[in-house]
Amino acid sequence: VMSMESGIRRYADVFAASFRDAINARGLTLARLHEQLRARGNSVSMATLSYWRSGARRPEGAQSMAALGDIEQLLHLEPGSLTALLGTTNRTGPLGPNLFPLDERELEEAVKEAFAALGAEYPDTSRELTTHSVTDVDAAGNVSYSITRSIVQSTVGTVVSIPFLEMTPGISTPAPFIEAVAGGRISARYSHPNGEVHGVLFELDVPLTAPSTAMVEWSVAYPPDYPPQRETGHAVARQCRELLVWTRFHPDALPDRIEERVETPDGSKLTELSLEGRTSVHQVRRAFGPGLLGVAWSYADDADPRNLNADA
């Protein structure tokens, strides 16, 4: 049986040998590779590159992985060819605080009740490393469907399931249709009596032992009696390395006004956005959270106030 330490050592040796071979095949010096990385805005040091080449260390963390992606391009390698040699890491990297993403005390209490009803630990011990949330808006200008893909990681112990919630602060709604698309199945469902929190327990295909990761995907559709929604977003309780919120409008329902909403422990910020001839708007944040990233839209003849539809 191979220990974790010896397994990591083996991966580091294989990575180092392949890294050296790729550098030699291109006829580059380490100094020249370092210069090319700096020209791309990547600040990885000469010492770090030397450690990687010798096998004394291996790439760890978001900045190192970004550098590795550039290195694969500069050495004319297939994307991911060096990254695949690393195996699993024995580090989670900086976790940051685990905080409820919205400044809503009563809503957080409802979320805690939802976690308890689903049989989930609060706060959740997993985190989202990368999340892409895509929302479609129908011809009436309302949210009709969303799909979310996420790389999730166990931060401590073993995670077998993760709760995913839909929240509508101050608005009571019927339960939306939350379904597993890939990476697991829905093992439990819950709707809070106030109608503002609905959720599912997403049981993973394979249990995650820290710091392992998995790819999951789930979708949300809304019943005919669901209140009109002209705001969408995604909330994270821990820092997410990359969060993308992409809102796609029906060509017959392009809004007259679009506003970005960002909520963090430092406060809320609203910023006006523009489609600029497009039919969609996307928001990207790196090293974001805890907090909410969302967008709201309206039309010149609107009479109804906007509502919130935030995934978490």
Side-chain angles (χ1 to χ4, degrees), residues 75-208:
L75 298 181
H76 295 190
L77 300 174
E78 289 294 322
S81 57
L82 288 177
T83 307
L85 300 176
L86 293 173
T88 57
T89 176
N90 63 337
R91 292 171 53 189
T92 59
L95 294 176
N98 190 338
L99 302 175
F100 189 67
L102 302 177
D103 187 18
E104 300 273 356
R105 188 177 302 275
E106 290 185 6
L107 187 65
E108 182 176 10
E109 291 303 315
V111 167
K112 289 180 180 179
E113 293 177 27
F115 270 60
L118 291 169
E121 181 181 352
Y122 185 89
D124 185 21
T125 58
S126 69
R127 67 165 172 172
E128 298 174 39
L129 292 182
T130 300
T131 293
H132 292 179
S133 178
V134 183
T135 297
D136 288 326
V137 177
D138 62 22
N142 300 313
V143 172
S144 63
Y145 181 80
S146 69
I147 190 163
T148 303
R149 301 178 182 91
S150 184
I151 299 174
V152 294
Q153 180 183 42
S154 171
T155 64
V156 61
T158 298
V159 173
V160 297
S161 55
I162 301 172
F164 293 128
L165 306 179
E166 285 270 309
M167 299 178 292
T168 53
I171 306 293
S172 181
T173 73
F177 304 123
I178 307 175
E179 302 296 341
V181 177
R185 67 182 185 89
I186 305 300
S187 59
R189 298 178 184 272
Y190 174 77
S191 290
H192 193 273
N194 68 12
E196 299 177 24
V197 176
H198 304 278
V200 299
L201 193 64
F202 191 104
E203 185 177 325
L204 301 170
D205 284 338
V206 178
L208 286 183

Side-chain angles (χ1 to χ4, degrees), residues 2-312:
M2 180 182 294
S3 68
M4 177 177 289
E5 182 178 354
S6 62
I8 291 170
R9 177 73 261 163
R10 179 174 65 85
Y11 278 118
D13 291 342
V14 171
F15 170 82
S18 298
F19 186 28
R20 288 194 300 270
D21 289 346
I23 293 173
N24 294 336
R26 292 298 301 163
L28 288 177
T29 65
L30 208 59
R32 177 57 181 157
L33 179 60
H34 180 247
E35 291 175 4
Q36 292 177 337
L37 286 169
R38 284 177 62 86
R40 290 184 171 217
N42 204 302
S43 60
V44 63
S45 69
M46 267 288 294
T48 296
L49 291 175
S50 180
Y51 287 139
W52 293 353
R53 185 177 62 177
S54 68
R57 294 181 187 172
R58 62 186 226 143
E60 300 264 12
Q63 182 176 336
S64 294
M65 301 312 290
L68 200 53
D70 282 341
I71 287 170
E72 289 168 346
Q73 293 180 15
L74 292 169
L75 298 181
H76 295 190
L77 300 174
E78 289 294 322
S81 57
L82 288 177
T83 307
L85 300 176
L86 293 173
T88 57
T89 176
N90 63 337
R91 292 171 53 189
T92 59
L95 294 176
N98 190 338
L99 302 175
F100 189 67
L102 302 177
D103 187 18
E104 300 273 356
R105 188 177 302 275
E106 290 185 6
L107 187 65
E108 182 176 10
E109 291 303 315
V111 167
K112 289 180 180 179
E113 293 177 27
F115 270 60
L118 291 169
E121 181 181 352
Y122 185 89
D124 185 21
T125 58
S126 69
R127 67 165 172 172
E128 298 174 39
L129 292 182
T130 300
T131 293
H132 292 179
S133 178
V134 183
T135 297
D136 288 326
V137 177
D138 62 22
N142 300 313
V143 172
S144 63
Y145 181 80
S146 69
I147 190 163
T148 303
R149 301 178 182 91
S150 184
I151 299 174
V152 294
Q153 180 183 42
S154 171
T155 64
V156 61
T158 298
V159 173
V160 297
S161 55
I162 301 172
F164 293 128
L165 306 179
E166 285 270 309
M167 299 178 292
T168 53
I171 306 293
S172 181
T173 73
F177 304 123
I178 307 175
E179 302 296 341
V181 177
R185 67 182 185 89
I186 305 300
S187 59
R189 298 178 184 272
Y190 174 77
S191 290
H192 193 273
N194 68 12
E196 299 177 24
V197 176
H198 304 278
V200 299
L201 193 64
F202 191 104
E203 185 177 325
L204 301 170
D205 284 338
V206 178
L208 286 183
T209 299
S212 298
T213 61
M215 191 80 185
V216 298
E217 184 174 5
W218 70 96
S219 66
V220 184
Y222 304 91
D225 57 343
Y226 204 84
Q229 301 292 303
R230 290 186 175 171
E231 188 166 352
T232 189
H234 191 87
V236 290
R238 285 192 188 272
Q239 185 179 98
C240 186
R241 291 180 182 172
E242 179 181 82
L243 175 59
L244 165 67
V245 175
W246 187 18
T247 307
R248 306 187 297 198
F249 298 97
H250 190 283
D252 294 334
L254 301 182
D256 295 298
R257 181 180 175 86
I258 305 175
E259 198 170 56
E260 177 182 82
R261 174 185 171 192
V262 179
E263 286 198 15
T264 69
D266 295 328
S268 299
K269 182 179 179 181
L270 300 177
T271 306
E272 190 166 348
L273 303 178
S274 173
L275 287 175
E276 298 179 341
R278 298 183 295 265
T279 59
S280 69
V281 62
H282 69 276
Q283 304 154 270
V284 182
R285 293 292 190 280
R286 292 178 176 84
F288 177 83
L292 166 74
L293 177 64
V295 64
W297 58 94
S298 60
Y299 302 87
D301 58 353
D302 273 351
D304 296 326
R306 293 173 311 192
N307 297 317
L308 170 67
N309 173 37
D311 303 329

